[in-house]
Amino acid sequence: MSQTDANQSQNKSIDNHDQQPKRVLTGITTTGIPHLGNYVGAIRPAILSSQNSLNDQDQSFFFLADYHGIIKCYDPKQIHESTKAIAATWLACGLDPEKVVFYRQSDVPEIPELAWILNCSCPKGLMNRAHAYKAAVDINNEKNDVDPDQGITMGLFGYPVLMAADILMFNASHVPVGRDQIQHIEMARDIAGTFNHKYKNLFTLPSAVVDDAMPLLTGLDGRKMSKSYGNTIPLFGDYNPQIDPEKQMRKAIMQIVTNSQAPEEPKNPDDSVIFEIYKAFGTTEEIANLRTQFEAGIAWGDAKQILFEKINSEIAPFRERYFELMANPKELEEILLCGAEKARRHSRKQLDKTRRAIGIKPLAKL
């Protein structure tokens, strides 16, 4: 049976999402401070989705992907501080740990064990096609006398298998991702299909959930907003609570690159980063009003101030809770450990089934 046939066979039995409750899973890599792009693209929609589920049997899993974080980040302090900041951000923005399973990846030891089991049936050729690995090889191939795999760790190479383990451990049916992550979900489906065909029908084939309406914010310099470009607008400032986070946000917004058009000169809102970001926060009426002001020649400084006030009106109510949590890591730790125990109620059972399927089980009852 071909891999495609195996996948189709599994689809008939356990991939009929429309007739089953959803199990949604979202991971957040712990390598930076949450910024406005993270909030608009992932945090806000995920929290709203968990709050507005129409099916009481739907489940949501949110985890801090700290094992994924160490693939590219070798600064222990950054991993640690980022974990704290990201956990505090999600909770401050309204994530209810009583309604979802909110945990730290490293607190669920069954996940890396499952990753190893999946490694043993995952074709190497599948990993060779992973975008991140191919991109790293292409960079090396542009250099003279450099091994194509120079500087590439097994963590980077096997990243899709660990991601598959994150998903398959909880039989997640829906995984919200950006378009650049669709390949990883397809790989998780392939890995699940291979295991199900080779051993036992244990894993749901996950579906990537891509929201085409979800805005991908542009950063301060006109490129995609990303911490790797250093062009982000921080949600709550940096790790230092002594620096006024509201002033930090305003300062960042005032640094948005604009053209040289003078005040009162008509401006095209559709070519403006300011207007693009504003659309992610304003109502239909507010957006139409700002468009009118652009066409009438609003000054760039005034437009940035309007953007700041709009963003701040939504984010400001979260700040007190965020800094309260950052100052009380014990509370964060208790929440994460409680979430890990909830997660392990699922993972222990799934791993036991998986181990028995591959022949790793007690020799006899004692």
Side-chain angles (χ1 to χ4, degrees), residues 166-225:
D166 290 321
I167 297 167
L168 303 181
M169 178 60 79
F170 301 102
N171 274 331
S173 59
H174 295 72
V175 185
V177 292
R179 291 200 168 277
D180 59 337
Q181 291 285 316
I182 291 177
Q183 185 197 45
H184 289 137
I185 309 305
E186 292 173 343
M187 287 180 164
R189 291 175 64 91
D190 285 340
I191 292 168
T194 297
F195 184 97
N196 288 347
H197 176 60
K198 185 176 293 187
Y199 294 107
K200 189 175 181 181
N201 192 29
L202 293 181
F203 298 117
T204 298
L205 306 190
S207 293
V209 179
V210 180
D211 185 355
D212 290 327
M214 182 184 297
L216 295 176
L217 298 190
T218 302
L220 306 180
D221 58 1
R223 294 181 292 178
K224 170 188 171 184
M225 188 176 291

Short mmCIF file of all heavy atoms in Angstrom, two decimals, residues 166-225:
data_model
loop_
_atom_site.label_atom_id
_atom_site.label_comp_id
_atom_site.label_asym_id
_atom_site.label_seq_id
_atom_site.Cartn_x
_atom_site.Cartn_y
_atom_site.Cartn_z
N ASP A 166 4.09 16.47 19.21
CA ASP A 166 3.26 17.43 19.94
C ASP A 166 1.79 17.28 19.56
O ASP A 166 0.90 17.33 20.41
CB ASP A 166 3.69 18.87 19.61
CG ASP A 166 5.05 19.24 20.18
OD1 ASP A 166 5.35 18.83 21.31
OD2 ASP A 166 5.79 19.95 19.49
N ILE A 167 1.57 17.12 18.28
CA ILE A 167 0.20 17.08 17.75
C ILE A 167 -0.45 15.71 17.97
O ILE A 167 -1.58 15.61 18.46
CB ILE A 167 0.23 17.42 16.24
CG1 ILE A 167 0.75 18.84 16.02
CG2 ILE A 167 -1.15 17.23 15.62
CD1 ILE A 167 1.10 19.14 14.56
N LEU A 168 0.28 14.65 17.62
CA LEU A 168 -0.30 13.31 17.64
C LEU A 168 -0.48 12.79 19.06
O LEU A 168 -1.36 11.95 19.30
CB LEU A 168 0.58 12.35 16.83
CG LEU A 168 0.81 12.74 15.37
CD1 LEU A 168 1.66 11.70 14.67
CD2 LEU A 168 -0.51 12.92 14.64
N MET A 169 0.33 13.27 19.99
CA MET A 169 0.18 12.83 21.37
C MET A 169 -1.23 13.08 21.89
O MET A 169 -1.79 12.30 22.66
CB MET A 169 1.20 13.55 22.26
CG MET A 169 1.09 13.20 23.74
SD MET A 169 1.35 11.45 24.07
CE MET A 169 3.13 11.36 23.98
N PHE A 170 -1.83 14.19 21.45
CA PHE A 170 -3.16 14.55 21.94
C PHE A 170 -4.23 14.35 20.87
O PHE A 170 -5.35 14.80 21.02
CB PHE A 170 -3.14 16.00 22.43
CG PHE A 170 -2.14 16.21 23.53
CD1 PHE A 170 -0.92 16.82 23.27
CD2 PHE A 170 -2.40 15.77 24.82
CE1 PHE A 170 0.02 16.99 24.27
CE2 PHE A 170 -1.47 15.93 25.83
CZ PHE A 170 -0.25 16.53 25.56
N ASN A 171 -3.84 13.68 19.77
CA ASN A 171 -4.77 13.45 18.66
C ASN A 171 -5.51 14.73 18.28
O ASN A 171 -6.75 14.75 18.11
CB ASN A 171 -5.77 12.33 19.00
CG ASN A 171 -5.20 10.96 18.69
OD1 ASN A 171 -4.38 10.81 17.78
ND2 ASN A 171 -5.62 9.95 19.43
N ALA A 172 -4.73 15.81 18.16
CA ALA A 172 -5.32 17.09 17.76
C ALA A 172 -5.91 16.96 16.36
O ALA A 172 -5.28 16.40 15.46
CB ALA A 172 -4.26 18.18 17.80
N SER A 173 -7.10 17.48 16.19
CA SER A 173 -7.75 17.42 14.88
C SER A 173 -7.53 18.68 14.06
O SER A 173 -7.51 18.64 12.84
CB SER A 173 -9.26 17.18 15.05
OG SER A 173 -9.84 18.23 15.84
N HIS A 174 -7.34 19.82 14.76
CA HIS A 174 -7.18 21.10 14.09
C HIS A 174 -5.97 21.83 14.69
O HIS A 174 -5.88 22.00 15.91
CB HIS A 174 -8.43 21.97 14.27
CG HIS A 174 -9.64 21.41 13.60
ND1 HIS A 174 -10.30 20.30 14.07
CD2 HIS A 174 -10.33 21.81 12.48
CE1 HIS A 174 -11.33 20.03 13.28
NE2 HIS A 174 -11.37 20.92 12.31
N VAL A 175 -5.06 22.27 13.81
CA VAL A 175 -3.85 22.96 14.25
C VAL A 175 -3.76 24.30 13.52
O VAL A 175 -3.41 24.33 12.33
CB VAL A 175 -2.59 22.12 13.98
CG1 VAL A 175 -1.36 22.81 14.57
CG2 VAL A 175 -2.74 20.72 14.56
N PRO A 176 -4.07 25.41 14.20
CA PRO A 176 -3.96 26.72 13.55
C PRO A 176 -2.49 27.06 13.27
O PRO A 176 -1.66 27.01 14.18
CB PRO A 176 -4.55 27.68 14.59
CG PRO A 176 -5.36 26.81 15.51
CD PRO A 176 -4.64 25.50 15.55
N VAL A 177 -2.18 27.38 12.03
CA VAL A 177 -0.81 27.70 11.64
C VAL A 177 -0.81 28.79 10.58
O VAL A 177 -1.81 29.04 9.91
CB VAL A 177 -0.06 26.46 11.08
CG1 VAL A 177 0.18 25.44 12.16
CG2 VAL A 177 -0.82 25.85 9.91
N GLY A 178 0.36 29.40 10.41
CA GLY A 178 0.57 30.29 9.27
C GLY A 178 0.87 29.44 8.05
O GLY A 178 1.17 28.25 8.15
N ARG A 179 0.83 30.07 6.89
CA ARG A 179 1.04 29.31 5.65
C ARG A 179 2.42 28.66 5.60
O ARG A 179 2.60 27.60 4.98
CB ARG A 179 0.85 30.21 4.43
CG ARG A 179 -0.59 30.64 4.24
CD ARG A 179 -0.88 31.10 2.82
NE ARG A 179 -2.32 31.22 2.62
CZ ARG A 179 -3.13 30.22 2.32
NH1 ARG A 179 -2.62 29.01 2.19
NH2 ARG A 179 -4.41 30.39 2.16
N ASP A 180 3.41 29.27 6.28
CA ASP A 180 4.76 28.71 6.25
C ASP A 180 4.87 27.43 7.08
O ASP A 180 5.89 26.74 7.02
CB ASP A 180 5.77 29.75 6.76
CG ASP A 180 5.48 30.20 8.18
OD1 ASP A 180 4.31 30.09 8.62
OD2 ASP A 180 6.41 30.66 8.86
N GLN A 181 3.83 27.10 7.85
CA GLN A 181 3.85 25.90 8.68
C GLN A 181 2.97 24.77 8.14
O GLN A 181 2.92 23.69 8.73
CB GLN A 181 3.40 26.24 10.10
CG GLN A 181 4.37 27.10 10.87
CD GLN A 181 5.59 26.32 11.34
OE1 GLN A 181 5.47 25.22 11.83
NE2 GLN A 181 6.76 26.91 11.18
N ILE A 182 2.31 25.00 7.02
CA ILE A 182 1.42 23.97 6.48
C ILE A 182 2.18 22.68 6.19
O ILE A 182 1.68 21.58 6.45
CB ILE A 182 0.71 24.47 5.20
CG1 ILE A 182 -0.28 25.59 5.54
CG2 ILE A 182 -0.01 23.34 4.49
CD1 ILE A 182 -0.96 26.20 4.33
N GLN A 183 3.40 22.81 5.68
CA GLN A 183 4.17 21.61 5.36
C GLN A 183 4.35 20.71 6.58
O GLN A 183 4.29 19.48 6.49
CB GLN A 183 5.55 21.98 4.79
CG GLN A 183 6.34 20.76 4.33
CD GLN A 183 7.81 21.04 4.14
OE1 GLN A 183 8.46 21.67 4.98
NE2 GLN A 183 8.37 20.56 3.04
N HIS A 184 4.56 21.33 7.76
CA HIS A 184 4.78 20.53 8.96
C HIS A 184 3.53 19.74 9.34
O HIS A 184 3.63 18.61 9.86
CB HIS A 184 5.22 21.43 10.12
CG HIS A 184 6.60 21.96 9.96
ND1 HIS A 184 6.92 23.27 10.23
CD2 HIS A 184 7.74 21.37 9.55
CE1 HIS A 184 8.21 23.46 10.01
NE2 HIS A 184 8.73 22.31 9.59
N ILE A 185 2.36 20.31 9.11
CA ILE A 185 1.13 19.58 9.40
C ILE A 185 0.96 18.43 8.41
O ILE A 185 0.54 17.32 8.79
CB ILE A 185 -0.09 20.52 9.37
CG1 ILE A 185 0.14 21.77 10.23
CG2 ILE A 185 -1.34 19.77 9.83
CD1 ILE A 185 0.53 21.46 11.66
N GLU A 186 1.31 18.68 7.16
CA GLU A 186 1.24 17.61 6.16
C GLU A 186 2.20 16.48 6.52
O GLU A 186 1.89 15.29 6.36
CB GLU A 186 1.57 18.17 4.78
CG GLU A 186 0.51 19.14 4.25
CD GLU A 186 0.92 19.82 2.96
OE1 GLU A 186 2.12 19.80 2.65
OE2 GLU A 186 0.04 20.38 2.28
N MET A 187 3.37 16.85 7.04
CA MET A 187 4.33 15.83 7.48
C MET A 187 3.79 15.05 8.67
O MET A 187 3.98 13.82 8.76
CB MET A 187 5.67 16.48 7.83
CG MET A 187 6.47 16.95 6.63
SD MET A 187 8.04 17.69 7.11
CE MET A 187 8.90 17.68 5.53
N ALA A 188 3.14 15.73 9.59
CA ALA A 188 2.54 15.05 10.74
C ALA A 188 1.50 14.04 10.27
O ALA A 188 1.38 12.93 10.82
CB ALA A 188 1.92 16.06 11.70
N ARG A 189 0.74 14.41 9.25
CA ARG A 189 -0.25 13.48 8.69
C ARG A 189 0.45 12.27 8.08
O ARG A 189 0.01 11.12 8.25
CB ARG A 189 -1.10 14.19 7.62
CG ARG A 189 -2.04 15.25 8.17
CD ARG A 189 -2.76 15.98 7.03
NE ARG A 189 -3.62 15.07 6.28
CZ ARG A 189 -4.90 14.85 6.56
NH1 ARG A 189 -5.47 15.46 7.58
NH2 ARG A 189 -5.61 14.02 5.82
N ASP A 190 1.55 12.51 7.35
CA ASP A 190 2.29 11.40 6.74
C ASP A 190 2.85 10.48 7.82
O ASP A 190 2.79 9.25 7.70
CB ASP A 190 3.44 11.94 5.89
CG ASP A 190 2.97 12.52 4.57
OD1 ASP A 190 1.85 12.19 4.14
OD2 ASP A 190 3.72 13.31 3.96
N ILE A 191 3.43 11.08 8.86
CA ILE A 191 4.01 10.30 9.95
C ILE A 191 2.95 9.48 10.66
O ILE A 191 3.15 8.30 10.97
CB ILE A 191 4.76 11.23 10.93
CG1 ILE A 191 6.00 11.82 10.24
CG2 ILE A 191 5.14 10.50 12.20
CD1 ILE A 191 6.65 12.97 11.01
N ALA A 192 1.79 10.09 10.91
CA ALA A 192 0.70 9.38 11.56
C ALA A 192 0.19 8.25 10.67
O ALA A 192 -0.05 7.12 11.14
CB ALA A 192 -0.44 10.34 11.88
N GLY A 193 0.03 8.54 9.38
CA GLY A 193 -0.46 7.52 8.46
C GLY A 193 0.48 6.33 8.36
O GLY A 193 0.04 5.17 8.31
N THR A 194 1.79 6.59 8.35
CA THR A 194 2.77 5.51 8.29
C THR A 194 2.68 4.62 9.53
O THR A 194 2.65 3.39 9.43
CB THR A 194 4.19 6.09 8.17
OG1 THR A 194 4.31 6.81 6.95
CG2 THR A 194 5.23 4.98 8.20
N PHE A 195 2.61 5.26 10.70
CA PHE A 195 2.52 4.48 11.94
C PHE A 195 1.22 3.69 11.98
O PHE A 195 1.22 2.48 12.30
CB PHE A 195 2.60 5.40 13.16
CG PHE A 195 2.60 4.65 14.46
CD1 PHE A 195 3.80 4.37 15.11
CD2 PHE A 195 1.42 4.20 15.05
CE1 PHE A 195 3.81 3.66 16.31
CE2 PHE A 195 1.42 3.50 16.23
CZ PHE A 195 2.62 3.22 16.87
N ASN A 196 0.11 4.33 11.67
CA ASN A 196 -1.18 3.66 11.71
C ASN A 196 -1.22 2.43 10.79
O ASN A 196 -1.78 1.39 11.14
CB ASN A 196 -2.30 4.61 11.31
CG ASN A 196 -2.59 5.67 12.37
OD1 ASN A 196 -2.13 5.58 13.50
ND2 ASN A 196 -3.35 6.68 11.99
N HIS A 197 -0.61 2.55 9.62
CA HIS A 197 -0.59 1.45 8.67
C HIS A 197 0.36 0.34 9.12
O HIS A 197 0.05 -0.85 8.97
CB HIS A 197 -0.19 1.96 7.28
CG HIS A 197 -0.04 0.89 6.25
ND1 HIS A 197 -1.07 0.07 5.89
CD2 HIS A 197 1.04 0.51 5.51
CE1 HIS A 197 -0.65 -0.79 4.96
NE2 HIS A 197 0.62 -0.54 4.72
N LYS A 198 1.49 0.74 9.68
CA LYS A 198 2.52 -0.24 10.06
C LYS A 198 2.17 -0.99 11.33
O LYS A 198 2.46 -2.18 11.48
CB LYS A 198 3.86 0.49 10.22
CG LYS A 198 5.05 -0.44 10.50
CD LYS A 198 6.35 0.36 10.56
CE LYS A 198 6.70 0.96 9.20
NZ LYS A 198 8.05 1.60 9.21
N TYR A 199 1.54 -0.28 12.28
CA TYR A 199 1.27 -0.88 13.60
C TYR A 199 -0.21 -0.97 13.93
O TYR A 199 -0.82 -2.02 13.86
CB TYR A 199 2.00 -0.10 14.69
CG TYR A 199 3.50 -0.18 14.59
CD1 TYR A 199 4.25 0.92 14.16
CD2 TYR A 199 4.18 -1.34 14.94
CE1 TYR A 199 5.63 0.85 14.07
CE2 TYR A 199 5.56 -1.43 14.85
CZ TYR A 199 6.29 -0.33 14.42
OH TYR A 199 7.65 -0.40 14.33
N LYS A 200 -0.78 0.15 14.32
CA LYS A 200 -2.17 0.15 14.80
C LYS A 200 -2.76 1.54 14.58
O LYS A 200 -2.06 2.54 14.62
CB LYS A 200 -2.21 -0.21 16.30
CG LYS A 200 -3.59 -0.46 16.84
CD LYS A 200 -3.53 -0.92 18.31
CE LYS A 200 -4.92 -1.20 18.84
NZ LYS A 200 -4.89 -1.64 20.27
N ASN A 201 -4.06 1.58 14.38
CA ASN A 201 -4.75 2.83 14.08
C ASN A 201 -4.93 3.66 15.35
O ASN A 201 -5.98 3.66 15.98
CB ASN A 201 -6.12 2.47 13.48
CG ASN A 201 -6.81 3.67 12.87
OD1 ASN A 201 -6.17 4.60 12.40
ND2 ASN A 201 -8.12 3.63 12.85
N LEU A 202 -3.88 4.41 15.74
CA LEU A 202 -3.88 5.15 17.01
C LEU A 202 -3.95 6.66 16.85
O LEU A 202 -4.38 7.35 17.77
CB LEU A 202 -2.61 4.82 17.80
CG LEU A 202 -2.46 3.40 18.34
CD1 LEU A 202 -1.15 3.28 19.12
CD2 LEU A 202 -3.64 3.03 19.22
N PHE A 203 -3.53 7.19 15.72
CA PHE A 203 -3.34 8.64 15.60
C PHE A 203 -4.32 9.28 14.61
O PHE A 203 -4.47 8.82 13.48
CB PHE A 203 -1.91 8.97 15.18
CG PHE A 203 -0.88 8.51 16.16
CD1 PHE A 203 0.08 7.56 15.82
CD2 PHE A 203 -0.87 9.02 17.46
CE1 PHE A 203 1.03 7.15 16.73
CE2 PHE A 203 0.08 8.60 18.38
CZ PHE A 203 1.02 7.66 18.01
N THR A 204 -4.95 10.35 15.06
CA THR A 204 -5.79 11.17 14.19
C THR A 204 -4.91 11.92 13.20
O THR A 204 -3.82 12.39 13.55
CB THR A 204 -6.57 12.19 15.04
OG1 THR A 204 -7.42 11.50 15.94
CG2 THR A 204 -7.41 13.11 14.17
N LEU A 205 -5.37 12.04 11.97
CA LEU A 205 -4.65 12.83 10.97
C LEU A 205 -5.08 14.29 11.14
O LEU A 205 -6.23 14.62 10.88
CB LEU A 205 -4.95 12.35 9.56
CG LEU A 205 -4.73 10.86 9.26
CD1 LEU A 205 -4.84 10.61 7.76
CD2 LEU A 205 -3.38 10.40 9.78
N PRO A 206 -4.17 15.15 11.56
CA PRO A 206 -4.53 16.54 11.85
C PRO A 206 -4.75 17.36 10.58
O PRO A 206 -4.19 17.05 9.53
CB PRO A 206 -3.33 17.06 12.63
CG PRO A 206 -2.18 16.27 12.07
CD PRO A 206 -2.74 14.89 11.81
N SER A 207 -5.54 18.40 10.72
CA SER A 207 -5.75 19.35 9.62
C SER A 207 -5.17 20.70 9.98
O SER A 207 -5.33 21.17 11.11
CB SER A 207 -7.25 19.52 9.34
OG SER A 207 -7.81 18.33 8.83
N ALA A 208 -4.47 21.30 9.04
CA ALA A 208 -3.96 22.66 9.23
C ALA A 208 -5.12 23.64 9.10
O ALA A 208 -5.95 23.52 8.20
CB ALA A 208 -2.90 22.99 8.19
N VAL A 209 -5.20 24.58 10.02
CA VAL A 209 -6.23 25.61 9.97
C VAL A 209 -5.55 26.93 9.66
O VAL A 209 -4.79 27.46 10.48
CB VAL A 209 -6.98 25.70 11.31
CG1 VAL A 209 -8.05 26.80 11.24
CG2 VAL A 209 -7.62 24.37 11.66
N VAL A 210 -5.78 27.44 8.47
CA VAL A 210 -5.16 28.70 8.03
C VAL A 210 -6.26 29.73 7.83
O VAL A 210 -7.17 29.52 7.02
CB VAL A 210 -4.37 28.50 6.73
CG1 VAL A 210 -3.75 29.83 6.29
CG2 VAL A 210 -3.30 27.44 6.91
N ASP A 211 -6.19 30.81 8.56
CA ASP A 211 -7.18 31.88 8.44
C ASP A 211 -6.67 32.91 7.44
O ASP A 211 -5.77 33.69 7.75
CB ASP A 211 -7.42 32.52 9.81
CG ASP A 211 -8.53 33.55 9.78
OD1 ASP A 211 -9.04 33.83 8.68
OD2 ASP A 211 -8.88 34.08 10.85
N ASP A 212 -7.23 32.90 6.23
CA ASP A 212 -6.77 33.83 5.20
C ASP A 212 -7.07 35.27 5.57
O ASP A 212 -6.45 36.20 5.05
CB ASP A 212 -7.45 33.50 3.87
CG ASP A 212 -6.94 32.19 3.28
OD1 ASP A 212 -5.76 31.87 3.49
OD2 ASP A 212 -7.73 31.47 2.63
N ALA A 213 -8.02 35.47 6.50
CA ALA A 213 -8.36 36.83 6.91
C ALA A 213 -7.45 37.33 8.02
O ALA A 213 -7.48 38.50 8.38
CB ALA A 213 -9.82 36.89 7.38
N MET A 214 -6.63 36.42 8.57
CA MET A 214 -5.75 36.81 9.66
C MET A 214 -4.64 37.73 9.14
O MET A 214 -3.87 37.34 8.26
CB MET A 214 -5.12 35.58 10.31
CG MET A 214 -4.22 35.89 11.51
SD MET A 214 -3.42 34.40 12.15
CE MET A 214 -4.84 33.47 12.69
N PRO A 215 -4.55 38.95 9.64
CA PRO A 215 -3.54 39.87 9.13
C PRO A 215 -2.13 39.51 9.56
O PRO A 215 -1.90 39.09 10.71
CB PRO A 215 -3.96 41.22 9.75
CG PRO A 215 -4.71 40.86 10.99
CD PRO A 215 -5.39 39.55 10.69
N LEU A 216 -1.19 39.62 8.62
CA LEU A 216 0.22 39.47 8.95
C LEU A 216 0.80 40.88 9.00
O LEU A 216 1.00 41.52 7.97
CB LEU A 216 0.93 38.62 7.88
CG LEU A 216 0.47 37.16 7.79
CD1 LEU A 216 1.17 36.46 6.63
CD2 LEU A 216 0.75 36.43 9.10
N LEU A 217 1.04 41.37 10.19
CA LEU A 217 1.41 42.77 10.34
C LEU A 217 2.80 43.07 9.79
O LEU A 217 3.73 42.27 9.91
CB LEU A 217 1.35 43.17 11.82
CG LEU A 217 -0.01 43.07 12.50
CD1 LEU A 217 0.06 43.74 13.87
CD2 LEU A 217 -1.10 43.71 11.66
N THR A 218 2.92 44.24 9.20
CA THR A 218 4.21 44.75 8.75
C THR A 218 4.89 45.44 9.92
O THR A 218 4.24 46.06 10.75
CB THR A 218 4.00 45.75 7.59
OG1 THR A 218 3.31 45.08 6.52
CG2 THR A 218 5.33 46.29 7.08
N GLY A 219 6.22 45.31 9.96
CA GLY A 219 6.97 45.89 11.07
C GLY A 219 7.34 47.34 10.85
O GLY A 219 6.96 47.97 9.85
N LEU A 220 8.13 47.87 11.78
CA LEU A 220 8.49 49.30 11.76
C LEU A 220 9.24 49.70 10.51
O LEU A 220 9.15 50.85 10.07
CB LEU A 220 9.34 49.62 13.00
CG LEU A 220 8.75 49.25 14.36
CD1 LEU A 220 9.73 49.64 15.47
CD2 LEU A 220 7.41 49.95 14.56
N ASP A 221 9.98 48.75 9.91
CA ASP A 221 10.82 49.08 8.76
C ASP A 221 10.20 48.71 7.42
O ASP A 221 10.85 48.81 6.38
CB ASP A 221 12.18 48.41 8.89
CG ASP A 221 12.06 46.89 9.01
OD1 ASP A 221 10.93 46.38 8.98
OD2 ASP A 221 13.11 46.23 9.14
N GLY A 222 8.94 48.25 7.43
CA GLY A 222 8.28 47.90 6.19
C GLY A 222 8.35 46.43 5.84
O GLY A 222 7.68 45.97 4.92
N ARG A 223 9.19 45.66 6.57
CA ARG A 223 9.24 44.22 6.37
C ARG A 223 8.24 43.55 7.30
O ARG A 223 7.66 44.19 8.17
CB ARG A 223 10.65 43.69 6.63
CG ARG A 223 11.70 44.17 5.65
CD ARG A 223 13.07 43.59 5.96
NE ARG A 223 13.63 44.11 7.21
CZ ARG A 223 14.79 43.73 7.72
NH1 ARG A 223 15.51 42.81 7.10
NH2 ARG A 223 15.24 44.27 8.85
N LYS A 224 8.05 42.23 7.13
CA LYS A 224 7.18 41.48 8.03
C LYS A 224 7.61 41.70 9.47
O LYS A 224 8.81 41.68 9.78
CB LYS A 224 7.26 39.99 7.67
CG LYS A 224 6.58 39.06 8.68
CD LYS A 224 6.88 37.60 8.36
CE LYS A 224 6.39 36.69 9.47
NZ LYS A 224 6.75 35.27 9.22
N MET A 225 6.64 41.92 10.36
CA MET A 225 6.97 42.13 11.77
C MET A 225 7.52 40.83 12.35
O MET A 225 6.84 39.81 12.40
CB MET A 225 5.74 42.58 12.57
CG MET A 225 6.07 43.00 13.99
SD MET A 225 4.64 43.65 14.93
CE MET A 225 4.34 45.21 14.07
#
